[in-house]
Structure formats: structure tokens, C-alpha cells
Amino acid sequence: MITQHFSTLVAGLLVAAAIPGQALAQNDTGKAVYDKVCVACHSAGIAGAPKFGDAKDWAARIKAGMDTLYESAIKGKAPAMPAKGGATDVSDADIKAAVDYMVAAAKNGGSSAAAPAPAAAPAAAAPEAAPKPRPAALSFNRLLKPASKRNPPPPEDGIHDPDNDGSYALQPPLSVFEGLPRSNAGNRINWVKALDSNQIAPRWDRTDPTAAPVVMDLNIVREVKGSMPDVVYPHKQHTAWLDCSNCHPQIFIPQKGANQISMAAILLGQKCGVCHGKVAFPVSECRICHSKKKDVMPVKNANAQ
Amino acid sequence: MSFSHAARPRPGLLLGGLLSVVLAGALMAPGDAHAEYGDVVINNYSDAAGMRPVIFPHWFHRLRFRCKVCHADLGFQFKAGGNEINMVKIIDGQFCGACHNGDIAWSVENCNLCHSAKPGTPTQVHESTIQKLAIQPQAGGQK
């Protein structure tokens, strides 16, 4: 509420001061894009990204000129900046607005709640980006976890007690996740890839660091209904982490056709859902399991013949 | 245990699931909890004993041990709150105590490193599909 009142007030003041409403709207768009996309790296300054609000990080870049900055943002820049920060669906003008927002913040040393966009911004904006202030309630994917809230350190994660001194001694996830292969769900780490590439070396035995699993390389194909690709279950990736007895025979009877598996059961934490959806990658990653395309059947028109 | 009653398939479950998603969306302020996927909160006895509930970070342990070590060798069931763990067993070398003995990992006198959840946090697998879909256990319930 307070913010709303405040922004109304600010808007009123700005209009009263005869600053074009466009500038504010641009800045709103810029902030929205920043909060959704750029924040993932620029909030903490990950992988050499100039940190949000850090005048020192930004000074040289601002000196190079806004056009250069826009180009780096839109086309990407080695070594780590992907084109449009990876969000290729965002329009050029919106990306520019985000750059303006970040530059304004850097110039203000981080306190940029209502920093007006540089005068050049509205002029540079392409006409397709008709500035449209978006109410917060209409923000895209409002129930999803924003990038800025991923992998927080324990005292800030909402379940650890910030009043507990022990919470501050615990390892922050990002201190180890940096550099590991990423994924789009769960811890946002591709654990299988991390293990395969020897980037992590979890012990197979509690005390013996040299013990190694007996990996069984056997794929089980499960044909599924409808047009969904068939499931390929790889023993290989599972036996690298687990013992046979973890799954057999309690969860899966080791016999072809003996196991009824449905997505409903998995969603409720049974069958594959004993791990997938709790600790292994969740069911949102359909195609990791449903990975075998069905042979295209020639369409026979039984009625005609 | 909400998990067991939620696991029984019943009519209207999907509808209930959808409803609870909507409800959860309406009731939960964004920014409620953003802990790691797979963090297990165990509150079988903690609240009643005046201790903070335990948080077990799966991510931290799987970086160092494969699933098999705890779930096959040490006998941890795949179920949050489903292992009758208490401090006597831990000091006796069972469950967490197999490593948290001052030898492989730090020992039991570091109470606050495990007992670190906000008081009243219910037993859960944080961010699990079932936590997102099924009807939420009430905080301070009979967990």
C-alpha cells in the first residue's frame, strides 16, 4: 500500500514537474525486465557482470556510451553475457529500458527507486515499445520464484531461523553451486552431469573414499499412452547414486509389466515420485524421462477399405 | 502424517490439488520461503521438546555422499519424518550419528546447526511436488 501511494505521489510529482510520463513508464518497464531477467547475474555481479548500483563497476561501461551498452545487452558480450540476458523473447526496447534502469541505479549509487530514465531513453526506444506501466498484480508468473530468490543463504531462505546463530554457520548453496552444470528446476543443478563430469565426487561408502559403485547400464523402455514420447528409464544414472535395494522390490517389482505407474501416482510421491519431485529433478522436466519419440505410424483408414 | 493421507488416491483429488494451488497462491505471500529444493524439515519431537525443528539439506549431503550411503547403508526411509530418529539413537551411532560423531562430520554438541528451523515449521520436503499440490499441513498441527 505504502509503495503504491508512494509511486502515485512520485508519478504526480513527475507529471507536475512536466517530465514526460513516458520516462517513468520506461523506468517501470526497465525495472520489470531487470527483476525478471538481469537480476540473476547483475544483482550479485556474477561471472563478471557489473553489479547493480555499483558505480565503480559501471563507470567504464557508461563511458563507452549508451549505444555500446545497448548493443552488448541485446547482442550479448563475451565472456558471459548472453544475448538479452538469455531472454530472447523480450523486445529490444524493453532491454534498453532495463539497461537505462541499471545505468540510472549505478549513477545513483544503488538508490534508484524512482530514478528517472536518462533523457536519451525515450528517444532511443523503438516505437513498438509503447510504454505501458504494469500493475504488480498482473506481473508475469507472479507465483513462480523469481530469479532473485533462488538459492538464498540459509538465514534468508524462510525456513531457517534467522535468530539462530547456527543458521549463519551453514554453507550457502551458491558457494558450491557456482560452476556446476545448471538445470532449470530443483536446485537448478544438473546433478547427473555434475557427477558424470567428475565435478563432484560424492562418496559411495561412508568411510572409504575409494569405493565405487557397480554401475549397470541397462535402459528400460516404457511405452506410454497418447502422443507423449515413451519413457526411457536408464539404470546407469540411477545405479551411480543408488543401491538396487533402494528401489527393488519395494517400489518397483523387477519384472516386466509388473509395475503400474501413472503421473498421478508420481505427483503424489509414489513410484518415481519417491525421489522425483522431492530431491531428484521434478516432474516439470517431462522430456528428460519421456525421451523416446514414437515411431510415426502410417495412418491407415480402416473404414475406407 | 499428511503425506500418508495425501497419498491415498481419492476422487476429487486433482480438483482439490488445483484448489489448494489457488489457495496457496492467495494465502502465501511471495517471499514466504525460498529454501533449497529437497531440504527436509523434521519436526517429530522438536517443537514439543522446546527445540527448533531440524533441517536436513539434501543438496549439501549429496555433494559429499551418494544417496545409497544413507538410504541403503544407514537405513533412512524415503519419507520425511518417517524415520523414528531421536538424540539417543544419534549418540548411539545410528542415523545421523553414523557420521555426525566428531569423526566423519561434526558431532552432536553443535545442536543449532541441525536444529535451525523457525519454531513451528511442520515436517516437510521443501519445494516438493506434493507440498505444492496437496493440501498443506497446518503449521503447529499434529506433525
Side-chain angles (χ1 to χ4, degrees):
Chain A
M1 279 316 250
I2 292 169
T3 357
Q4 248 174 20
H5 284 308
F6 178 70
S7 51
T8 321
L9 183 71
V10 170
L13 282 175
L14 286 176
V15 171
I19 292 173
Q22 266 203 342
L24 183 70
Q26 272 294 324
N27 202 28
D28 276 358
T29 311
K31 183 175 186 319
V33 174
Y34 171 81
D35 285 343
K36 195 174 148 230
V37 183
C38 325
V39 69
C41 296
H42 285 279
S43 72
I46 290 168
K51 198 174 163 183
F52 184 80
D54 188 322
K56 217 169 49 190
D57 274 10
W58 283 91
R61 294 170 164 94
I62 293 172
K63 219 171 157 190
M66 290 307 288
D67 287 339
T68 317
L69 264 179
Y70 290 148
E71 194 177 310
S72 308
I74 292 167
K75 294 188 177 161
K77 188 165 184 285
M81 173 73 192
K84 296 187 175 180
T88 45
D89 55 328
V90 177
S91 75
D92 286 8
D94 284 0
I95 292 290
K96 286 179 180 173
V99 174
D100 292 340
Y101 174 71
M102 286 191 275
V103 167
K107 285 179 174 166
N108 286 359
S111 58
S112 65
E128 97 244 21
K132 37 195 183 295
R134 293 176 195 126
L138 284 180
S139 65
F140 193 64
N141 281 343
R142 97 194 144 82
L143 294 182
L144 292 190
K145 193 192 275 192
S148 56
K149 302 280 188 190
R150 287 173 195 154
N151 313 112
E156 294 162 26
D157 70 7
I159 60 171
H160 283 89
D161 190 348
D163 295 333
N164 169 39
D165 51 359
S167 302
Y168 295 85
L170 299 171
Q171 186 169 33
L174 281 182
S175 68
V176 250
F177 288 180
E178 301 277 339
L180 292 183
R182 309 294 297 186
S183 80
N184 288 325
N187 305 109
R188 311 193 80 81
I189 295 297
N190 186 335
W191 292 104
V192 166
K193 210 168 162 190
L195 183 67
D196 279 351
S197 56
N198 283 324
Q199 280 169 289
I200 58 173
R203 281 188 191 176
W204 177 251
D205 185 88
R206 193 168 54 92
T207 50
D208 177 7
T210 60
V214 180
V215 172
M216 173 169 145
D217 191 359
L218 169 67
N219 286 345
I220 306 289
V221 177
R222 288 185 65 93
E223 292 177 4
V224 300
K225 283 177 274 189
S227 55
M228 204 60 192
D230 290 336
V231 171
V232 179
Y233 166 83
H235 272 99
K236 189 176 171 199
Q237 280 82 342
H238 289 82
T239 48
W241 290 96
L242 289 152
D243 189 69
C244 314
S245 68
N246 285 132
C247 304
H248 301 306
Q250 214 174 0
I251 303 172
F252 298 104
I253 301 164
Q255 182 193 325
K256 192 173 191 271
N259 300 285
Q260 287 288 323
I261 304 176
S262 69
M263 285 314 298
I266 294 171
L267 285 167
L268 290 171
Q270 299 162 3
K271 302 296 176 188
C272 319
V274 168
C275 297
H276 287 281
K278 290 182 191 162
V279 60
F281 66 79
V283 290
S284 55
E285 310 305 288
C286 316
R287 297 303 176 108
I288 302 183
C289 300
H290 289 271
S291 57
K292 184 168 182 271
K293 274 207 175 142
K294 291 187 163 128
D295 298 331
V296 181
M297 302 286 276
V299 181
K300 276 188 195 160
N301 193 337
N303 293 334
Q305 298 293 322
Chain B
M1 292 280 156
S2 74
F3 277 20
S4 53
H5 87 74
R8 217 176 298 133
R10 57 197 146 101
L13 193 102
L14 271 184
L15 184 70
L18 282 177
L19 229 150
S20 69
V21 168
V22 173
L23 267 181
L27 297 177
M28 248 182 354
D32 234 358
H34 303 288
E36 281 303 311
Y37 178 72
D39 277 5
V40 178
V41 180
I42 307 168
N43 194 356
N44 287 343
Y45 311 114
S46 298
D47 264 349
M51 286 297 288
R52 293 183 176 91
V54 169
I55 297 177
F56 170 81
H58 256 118
W59 68 268
F60 179 95
H61 289 83
R62 74 181 299 181
L63 278 162
R64 292 156 174 85
F65 294 95
R66 310 204 193 201
C67 322
K68 168 256 186 192
V69 174
C70 300
H71 289 293
D73 299 352
L74 301 181
F76 281 92
Q77 299 294 310
F78 293 124
K79 187 168 170 55
N83 299 284
E84 292 292 312
I85 307 172
N86 59 42
M87 289 312 298
V88 174
K89 290 183 189 171
I90 291 174
I91 292 163
D92 202 32
Q94 299 175 47
F95 294 113
C96 321
C99 294
H100 286 281
N101 52 12
D103 184 16
I104 297 174
W106 41 264
S107 70
V108 290
E109 62 260 25
N110 298 290
C111 317
N112 287 349
L113 293 183
C114 294
H115 289 274
S116 59
K118 290 179 178 170
T121 311
T123 298
Q124 61 182 282
V125 185
H126 189 73
E127 285 239 322
S128 61
T129 307
I130 202 156
Q131 192 193 32
K132 289 178 182 171
L133 284 182
I135 290 152
Q136 297 290 300
Q138 295 300 308
Q142 78 284 31
K143 292 306 293 180

mmCIF file of all heavy atoms in Angstrom, chain A residues 198-221:
data_model
loop_
_atom_site.group_PDB
_atom_site.id
_atom_site.type_symbol
_atom_site.label_atom_id
_atom_site.label_comp_id
_atom_site.label_asym_id
_atom_site.label_seq_id
_atom_site.Cartn_x
_atom_site.Cartn_y
_atom_site.Cartn_z
ATOM 1 N N ASN A 198 32.711 -35.507 -13.241
ATOM 2 C CA ASN A 198 33.646 -35.510 -12.098
ATOM 3 C C ASN A 198 33.796 -34.160 -11.422
ATOM 4 O O ASN A 198 34.797 -33.912 -10.753
ATOM 5 C CB ASN A 198 35.043 -35.984 -12.530
ATOM 6 C CG ASN A 198 35.063 -37.487 -12.701
ATOM 7 O OD1 ASN A 198 34.404 -38.208 -11.950
ATOM 8 N ND2 ASN A 198 35.766 -37.952 -13.715
ATOM 9 N N GLN A 199 32.811 -33.289 -11.604
ATOM 10 C CA GLN A 199 32.892 -32.009 -10.905
ATOM 11 C C GLN A 199 32.544 -32.169 -9.435
ATOM 12 O O GLN A 199 32.883 -31.337 -8.620
ATOM 13 C CB GLN A 199 31.975 -30.978 -11.563
ATOM 14 C CG GLN A 199 32.612 -30.365 -12.804
ATOM 15 C CD GLN A 199 31.605 -29.568 -13.589
ATOM 16 O OE1 GLN A 199 30.710 -30.122 -14.210
ATOM 17 N NE2 GLN A 199 31.746 -28.264 -13.561
ATOM 18 N N ILE A 200 31.804 -33.226 -9.139
ATOM 19 C CA ILE A 200 31.585 -33.574 -7.739
ATOM 20 C C ILE A 200 31.991 -35.038 -7.560
ATOM 21 O O ILE A 200 31.966 -35.807 -8.517
ATOM 22 C CB ILE A 200 30.120 -33.371 -7.291
ATOM 23 C CG1 ILE A 200 29.156 -34.210 -8.144
ATOM 24 C CG2 ILE A 200 29.732 -31.904 -7.384
ATOM 25 C CD1 ILE A 200 27.722 -34.169 -7.645
ATOM 26 N N ALA A 201 32.403 -35.379 -6.370
ATOM 27 C CA ALA A 201 32.825 -36.755 -6.121
ATOM 28 C C ALA A 201 32.217 -37.257 -4.819
ATOM 29 O O ALA A 201 32.927 -37.483 -3.837
ATOM 30 C CB ALA A 201 34.349 -36.838 -6.075
ATOM 31 N N PRO A 202 30.897 -37.400 -4.799
ATOM 32 C CA PRO A 202 30.280 -37.893 -3.560
ATOM 33 C C PRO A 202 30.703 -39.330 -3.287
ATOM 34 O O PRO A 202 30.815 -40.143 -4.200
ATOM 35 C CB PRO A 202 28.776 -37.804 -3.852
ATOM 36 C CG PRO A 202 28.656 -37.794 -5.335
ATOM 37 C CD PRO A 202 29.906 -37.193 -5.871
ATOM 38 N N ARG A 203 30.949 -39.613 -2.008
ATOM 39 C CA ARG A 203 31.410 -40.960 -1.648
ATOM 40 C C ARG A 203 30.321 -41.994 -1.854
ATOM 41 O O ARG A 203 29.147 -41.740 -1.628
ATOM 42 C CB ARG A 203 31.811 -40.978 -0.175
ATOM 43 C CG ARG A 203 33.163 -40.403 0.092
ATOM 44 C CD ARG A 203 33.513 -40.653 1.536
ATOM 45 N NE ARG A 203 34.702 -39.889 1.909
ATOM 46 C CZ ARG A 203 35.184 -39.872 3.143
ATOM 47 N NH1 ARG A 203 34.580 -40.547 4.106
ATOM 48 N NH2 ARG A 203 36.260 -39.168 3.419
ATOM 49 N N TRP A 204 30.763 -43.176 -2.249
ATOM 50 C CA TRP A 204 29.862 -44.314 -2.397
ATOM 51 C C TRP A 204 29.774 -45.075 -1.077
ATOM 52 O O TRP A 204 28.848 -45.823 -0.822
ATOM 53 C CB TRP A 204 30.346 -45.223 -3.520
ATOM 54 C CG TRP A 204 29.529 -46.472 -3.723
ATOM 55 C CD1 TRP A 204 29.907 -47.738 -3.428
ATOM 56 C CD2 TRP A 204 28.213 -46.556 -4.258
ATOM 57 N NE1 TRP A 204 28.907 -48.623 -3.743
ATOM 58 C CE2 TRP A 204 27.847 -47.923 -4.261
ATOM 59 C CE3 TRP A 204 27.311 -45.629 -4.746
ATOM 60 C CZ2 TRP A 204 26.609 -48.382 -4.726
ATOM 61 C CZ3 TRP A 204 26.072 -46.075 -5.207
ATOM 62 C CH2 TRP A 204 25.738 -47.446 -5.191
ATOM 63 N N ASP A 205 30.803 -44.879 -0.261
ATOM 64 C CA ASP A 205 30.834 -45.535 1.039
ATOM 65 C C ASP A 205 31.043 -44.462 2.098
ATOM 66 O O ASP A 205 31.735 -43.476 1.865
ATOM 67 C CB ASP A 205 31.968 -46.564 1.079
ATOM 68 C CG ASP A 205 31.965 -47.359 2.366
ATOM 69 O OD1 ASP A 205 31.277 -48.395 2.422
ATOM 70 O OD2 ASP A 205 32.643 -46.931 3.330
ATOM 71 N N ARG A 206 30.469 -44.695 3.254
ATOM 72 C CA ARG A 206 30.527 -43.701 4.313
ATOM 73 C C ARG A 206 31.962 -43.341 4.684
ATOM 74 O O ARG A 206 32.290 -42.181 4.894
ATOM 75 C CB ARG A 206 29.795 -44.273 5.540
ATOM 76 C CG ARG A 206 29.478 -43.313 6.643
ATOM 77 C CD ARG A 206 28.501 -43.985 7.610
ATOM 78 N NE ARG A 206 29.010 -45.271 8.085
ATOM 79 C CZ ARG A 206 29.738 -45.413 9.200
ATOM 80 N NH1 ARG A 206 30.006 -44.386 9.946
ATOM 81 N NH2 ARG A 206 30.159 -46.619 9.567
ATOM 82 N N THR A 207 32.811 -44.345 4.751
ATOM 83 C CA THR A 207 34.164 -44.098 5.247
ATOM 84 C C THR A 207 35.248 -44.285 4.189
ATOM 85 O O THR A 207 36.321 -43.720 4.316
ATOM 86 C CB THR A 207 34.486 -45.049 6.425
ATOM 87 O OG1 THR A 207 34.150 -46.373 6.015
ATOM 88 C CG2 THR A 207 33.701 -44.683 7.652
ATOM 89 N N ASP A 208 34.956 -45.070 3.151
ATOM 90 C CA ASP A 208 36.001 -45.396 2.187
ATOM 91 C C ASP A 208 35.869 -44.522 0.939
ATOM 92 O O ASP A 208 34.981 -44.729 0.111
ATOM 93 C CB ASP A 208 35.881 -46.886 1.799
ATOM 94 C CG ASP A 208 36.903 -47.272 0.746
ATOM 95 O OD1 ASP A 208 37.764 -46.426 0.423
ATOM 96 O OD2 ASP A 208 36.825 -48.413 0.250
ATOM 97 N N PRO A 209 36.755 -43.538 0.791
ATOM 98 C CA PRO A 209 36.618 -42.632 -0.349
ATOM 99 C C PRO A 209 36.929 -43.292 -1.683
ATOM 100 O O PRO A 209 36.628 -42.722 -2.732
ATOM 101 C CB PRO A 209 37.629 -41.512 -0.046
ATOM 102 C CG PRO A 209 38.461 -41.968 1.088
ATOM 103 C CD PRO A 209 37.887 -43.222 1.662
ATOM 104 N N THR A 210 37.508 -44.493 -1.661
ATOM 105 C CA THR A 210 37.870 -45.117 -2.936
ATOM 106 C C THR A 210 36.794 -46.076 -3.457
ATOM 107 O O THR A 210 36.864 -46.511 -4.599
ATOM 108 C CB THR A 210 39.186 -45.913 -2.795
ATOM 109 O OG1 THR A 210 38.975 -46.917 -1.788
ATOM 110 C CG2 THR A 210 40.335 -45.015 -2.384
ATOM 111 N N ALA A 211 35.813 -46.385 -2.603
ATOM 112 C CA ALA A 211 34.769 -47.325 -3.038
ATOM 113 C C ALA A 211 34.018 -46.748 -4.225
ATOM 114 O O ALA A 211 33.741 -45.555 -4.267
ATOM 115 C CB ALA A 211 33.804 -47.592 -1.887
ATOM 116 N N ALA A 212 33.698 -47.596 -5.195
ATOM 117 C CA ALA A 212 32.993 -47.127 -6.392
ATOM 118 C C ALA A 212 31.770 -47.994 -6.632
ATOM 119 O O ALA A 212 31.780 -49.192 -6.319
ATOM 120 C CB ALA A 212 33.922 -47.173 -7.593
ATOM 121 N N PRO A 213 30.725 -47.429 -7.170
ATOM 122 C CA PRO A 213 29.515 -48.215 -7.415
ATOM 123 C C PRO A 213 29.697 -49.174 -8.588
ATOM 124 O O PRO A 213 30.537 -48.953 -9.458
ATOM 125 C CB PRO A 213 28.476 -47.155 -7.759
ATOM 126 C CG PRO A 213 29.261 -46.022 -8.305
ATOM 127 C CD PRO A 213 30.572 -46.035 -7.584
ATOM 128 N N VAL A 214 28.917 -50.241 -8.588
ATOM 129 C CA VAL A 214 28.849 -51.107 -9.762
ATOM 130 C C VAL A 214 27.702 -50.570 -10.612
ATOM 131 O O VAL A 214 26.538 -50.719 -10.268
ATOM 132 C CB VAL A 214 28.562 -52.571 -9.359
ATOM 133 C CG1 VAL A 214 28.490 -53.446 -10.598
ATOM 134 C CG2 VAL A 214 29.634 -53.062 -8.406
ATOM 135 N N VAL A 215 28.071 -49.878 -11.663
ATOM 136 C CA VAL A 215 27.045 -49.220 -12.475
ATOM 137 C C VAL A 215 26.488 -50.200 -13.490
ATOM 138 O O VAL A 215 27.227 -50.919 -14.153
ATOM 139 C CB VAL A 215 27.637 -47.975 -13.178
ATOM 140 C CG1 VAL A 215 26.647 -47.399 -14.166
ATOM 141 C CG2 VAL A 215 28.028 -46.934 -12.143
ATOM 142 N N MET A 216 25.158 -50.237 -13.572
ATOM 143 C CA MET A 216 24.510 -51.163 -14.502
ATOM 144 C C MET A 216 23.926 -50.356 -15.656
ATOM 145 O O MET A 216 23.098 -49.476 -15.444
ATOM 146 C CB MET A 216 23.394 -51.883 -13.752
ATOM 147 C CG MET A 216 22.518 -52.747 -14.606
ATOM 148 S SD MET A 216 21.495 -53.750 -13.505
ATOM 149 C CE MET A 216 20.007 -53.839 -14.426
ATOM 150 N N ASP A 217 24.413 -50.634 -16.841
ATOM 151 C CA ASP A 217 23.975 -49.858 -17.998
ATOM 152 C C ASP A 217 22.864 -50.607 -18.733
ATOM 153 O O ASP A 217 23.119 -51.392 -19.635
ATOM 154 C CB ASP A 217 25.174 -49.595 -18.925
ATOM 155 C CG ASP A 217 24.834 -48.568 -19.984
ATOM 156 O OD1 ASP A 217 23.672 -48.097 -20.004
ATOM 157 O OD2 ASP A 217 25.722 -48.235 -20.785
ATOM 158 N N LEU A 218 21.633 -50.379 -18.312
ATOM 159 C CA LEU A 218 20.508 -51.081 -18.933
ATOM 160 C C LEU A 218 19.334 -50.119 -19.005
ATOM 161 O O LEU A 218 18.875 -49.611 -17.981
ATOM 162 C CB LEU A 218 20.128 -52.305 -18.092
ATOM 163 C CG LEU A 218 18.813 -53.000 -18.465
ATOM 164 C CD1 LEU A 218 18.889 -53.644 -19.829
ATOM 165 C CD2 LEU A 218 18.420 -54.017 -17.407
ATOM 166 N N ASN A 219 18.891 -49.849 -20.208
ATOM 167 C CA ASN A 219 17.728 -48.975 -20.364
ATOM 168 C C ASN A 219 16.444 -49.787 -20.403
ATOM 169 O O ASN A 219 16.381 -50.828 -21.052
ATOM 170 C CB ASN A 219 17.829 -48.171 -21.659
ATOM 171 C CG ASN A 219 18.852 -47.064 -21.551
ATOM 172 O OD1 ASN A 219 19.277 -46.717 -20.440
ATOM 173 N ND2 ASN A 219 19.254 -46.517 -22.671
ATOM 174 N N ILE A 220 15.440 -49.307 -19.681
ATOM 175 C CA ILE A 220 14.122 -49.925 -19.747
ATOM 176 C C ILE A 220 13.208 -48.936 -20.469
ATOM 177 O O ILE A 220 13.097 -47.784 -20.050
ATOM 178 C CB ILE A 220 13.551 -50.179 -18.333
ATOM 179 C CG1 ILE A 220 14.524 -50.987 -17.485
ATOM 180 C CG2 ILE A 220 12.177 -50.830 -18.416
ATOM 181 C CD1 ILE A 220 14.664 -52.427 -17.879
ATOM 182 N N VAL A 221 12.597 -49.387 -21.551
ATOM 183 C CA VAL A 221 11.679 -48.501 -22.267
ATOM 184 C C VAL A 221 10.262 -48.825 -21.841
ATOM 185 O O VAL A 221 9.847 -49.985 -21.831
ATOM 186 C CB VAL A 221 11.824 -48.677 -23.792
ATOM 187 C CG1 VAL A 221 10.809 -47.795 -24.524
ATOM 188 C CG2 VAL A 221 13.243 -48.325 -24.218
#
